[in-house]
Amino acid sequence: MTRLNQKLCVVTGAARGIGAAIATHFRAEGAHVIVTDIDHAGATALAARIGGEPFALDVANEADWQRLAEAHPQIDVLVNNAGITGFEDGPVPQDPETATLDDWRRVHAVNLDGTFLGCRYAIGAMRAKGAGAIINISSRSGMVGIPGAAAYASSKAAVRNHTKSVALHCAQAGLAIRCNSVHPGAILTPMWEPMLGDGPDRQARMDRLVADTPLRRFGTPEEVAAVCVMLASDEATYMTGSEITIDGGILAGSAATPG
Ligand SMILES: NC(=O)c1ccc[n+]([C@@H]2O[C@H](COP(=O)([O-])OP(=O)(O)OC[C@H]3O[C@@H](n4cnc5c(N)ncnc54)[C@H](O)[C@@H]3O)[C@@H](O)[C@H]2O)c1
């Protein structure tokens, strides 16, 4: 378990869910992990559990990234994982016709601006070595339209595209700084809780949500983390500007079991 030995890795939104699994897997592979989140108590608890270092960071706040750059001017890996759906405080309209501009901007501020700021910081913090890996957690929703979560889908599509701009920018500059995007489908994390609830229909809701997924189940945060380990490691040194789907096959087509 030394695939990330000696690497200094920063993970955003790492207090729980997919980010926590990535931080945990990175640590298990020998990395020194900076566990960042807007939820500092959660980040501190996870860091204590895995032997990482907590850092309070709101990805949408440029001043927080400047503080991180001062504390960690050189890093090897950044995972831009922090993200929101816009449903955190309950059901609000997120469709193209009735979503408010404020709600649209709030989602983009975290998912897209946060990723932009993260990439900008990471390139600077990887320049001295001239090498590194940036992993942007986009989504299956960045590849298809989602009428009920339009801002989320738009922000994740922009993350997918910005990943390629960053990859090309670094390659053109002669830097071995790789930037790739990961596109999970439905992964069972606390992000889903406001949509699943804890009522008697929870299981039925879950079943409905994955009815179109060929593997017919939610994925796990660990299944996403395993791919991130590979992308962060020196096994993936010829991968840049790439996108990997981890979605139980949903983007492969619509009918896993025709008839
Ligand atoms: N769970 C899924 O099904 C799924 C599918 C596709 C993509 N994703 C993406 O994976 C990433 C992680 O999702 P998750 O399911 O683990 O979500 P989650 O809600 O369980 O965890 C998100 C974490 O991000 C943190 N966070 C929120 N806003 C932040 C901010 N401004 N700055 C820093 N941290 C912030 C939260 O405190 C939380 O710890 C997100 O980008 C999400 O869009 C998730």
Side-chain angles (χ1 to χ4, degrees), residues 71-163:
H72 295 288
Q74 273 195 43
I75 62 164
D76 298 296
V77 176
L78 170 69
V79 185
N80 285 309
N81 165 76
I84 60 172
T85 57
F87 298 117
E88 285 70 22
D89 300 326
V92 289
Q94 296 279 358
D95 66 87
E97 188 176 1
T98 59
T100 66
L101 184 57
D102 278 352
D103 285 336
W104 173 267
R105 284 184 172 151
R106 198 164 56 85
V107 171
H108 282 83
V110 176
N111 297 359
L112 178 56
D113 299 358
T115 298
F116 159 72
L117 289 170
C119 290
R120 203 177 61 176
Y121 154 72
I123 296 168
M126 293 171 183
R127 255 192 185 275
K129 275 194 195 164
I134 302 169
I135 301 167
N136 293 332
I137 308 297
S138 175
S139 173
R140 166 213 174 222
S141 308
M143 295 172 143
V144 295
I146 307 286
Y152 183 74
S154 162
S155 66
K156 291 297 186 178
V159 166
R160 176 195 191 195
N161 189 277
H162 189 60
T163 299

Side-chain angles (χ1 to χ4, degrees), residues 12-20 36-39 57-61 64 80-85 88 109-111 137-141 152 156 182-192 218-219 221 224 246:
T12 69
R16 70 182 202 190
I18 292 171
T36 78
D37 205 290
I38 198 170
D39 168 12
L57 180 103
D58 173 353
V59 293
N61 184 344
D64 282 2
N80 285 309
N81 165 76
I84 60 172
T85 57
E88 285 70 22
V110 176
N111 297 359
I137 308 297
S138 175
S139 173
R140 166 213 174 222
S141 308
Y152 183 74
K156 291 297 186 178
V182 170
H183 300 259
I187 309 295
L188 195 56
T189 69
M191 178 181 265
W192 283 95
F218 277 84
V224 179
I246 311 171

Side-chain angles (χ1 to χ4, degrees), residues 152-199:
Y152 183 74
S154 162
S155 66
K156 291 297 186 178
V159 166
R160 176 195 191 195
N161 189 277
H162 189 60
T163 299
K164 298 177 198 309
S165 294
V166 171
L168 295 177
H169 170 82
C170 293
Q172 280 167 7
L175 300 165
I177 299 173
R178 302 177 294 104
C179 186
N180 296 292
S181 60
V182 170
H183 300 259
I187 309 295
L188 195 56
T189 69
M191 178 181 265
W192 283 95
E193 290 308 322
M195 291 168 265
L196 294 175
D198 53 8

